[in-house]
Amino acid sequence: MAIVTPDLCDEYPEVLVVEPGFRNYGGIEAFGGEMVTVKCFEDNSVVKEQVNLPGHGRVMVVDGGGSKRAALLGDMLAVSAAENGWAGLIISGCIRDVDVIAKTALGVQALGSHPRKTEKRGVGDFNVPVNFGGVNFLPGHYLYADNNGIIVSEKPLPVS
């Protein structure tokens, strides 16, 4: 999939652009698809549940409250996501095992890396509206990401 977010912004000026601050960590640097959302804080239980289900080429948007005290994604969950057909994850928070994730066939953008894993308390919400980076992320809308940034659209955009 050839996704170039500057070109998409030029062609579709109505797209929303997420504020800068995310870094590309995944083995696939440009990715996109229909969004599902997770809202959690320092507990990746819902992320773990979802990456073990079929992704159908979707993108999981994780609102981790911007926490930089624990990682919401590690190598084992990233490999599960790739094996289950997820296009990628956007994480408003941290990840870990970045060297392995960089070699995994999955798009991953996050705010940073942190070596500590989260606690598993079973807390979090799935497919609820989330907001970070100046953008509302709604389940069923579409997200496209590359090294230039992250954009959101109500409808799928034609990418080659």
Side-chain angles (χ1 to χ4, degrees):
M1 185 181 302
I3 293 172
V4 181
T5 58
D7 293 347
L8 291 172
C9 285
D10 292 350
E11 186 72 23
Y12 304 95
E14 72 276 9
V15 299
L16 303 174
V17 179
V18 179
E19 294 170 354
F22 287 82
R23 179 173 169 217
N24 222 336
Y25 288 97
I28 296 177
E29 292 185 341
F31 59 98
E34 184 179 353
M35 288 189 287
V36 300
T37 63
V38 173
K39 186 171 182 71
C40 59
F41 187 74
E42 297 179 2
D43 180 342
N44 69 347
S45 300
V46 177
V47 174
K48 182 178 181 179
E49 289 171 10
Q50 293 305 309
V51 298
N52 287 312
L53 298 173
H56 304 291
R58 295 175 297 173
V59 176
M60 188 183 310
V61 176
V62 181
D63 180 357
S67 173
K68 294 185 178 175
R69 297 187 300 208
L72 292 170
L73 180 76
D75 59 347
M76 292 170 38
L77 297 186
V79 168
S80 290
E83 290 174 349
N84 286 310
W86 289 90
L89 290 93
I90 302 291
I91 299 178
S92 179
C94 290
I95 68 167
R96 67 187 205 160
D97 303 313
V98 297
D99 296 330
V100 175
I101 290 174
K103 297 175 186 169
T104 303
L106 181 70
V108 177
Q109 288 201 18
L111 296 177
S113 62
H114 195 289
R116 186 180 311 274
K117 66 181 178 177
T118 68
E119 293 185 28
K120 307 286 189 290
R121 300 180 309 273
V123 177
D125 297 308
F126 178 69
N127 261 359
V128 297
V130 298
N131 181 294
F132 58 83
V135 170
N136 288 318
F137 298 88
L138 302 173
H141 285 188
Y142 292 80
L143 182 144
Y144 303 90
D146 65 7
N147 284 323
N148 296 291
I150 303 167
I151 63 171
V152 172
S153 173
E154 291 182 17
K155 62 184 181 194
L157 301 178
V159 294
S160 52

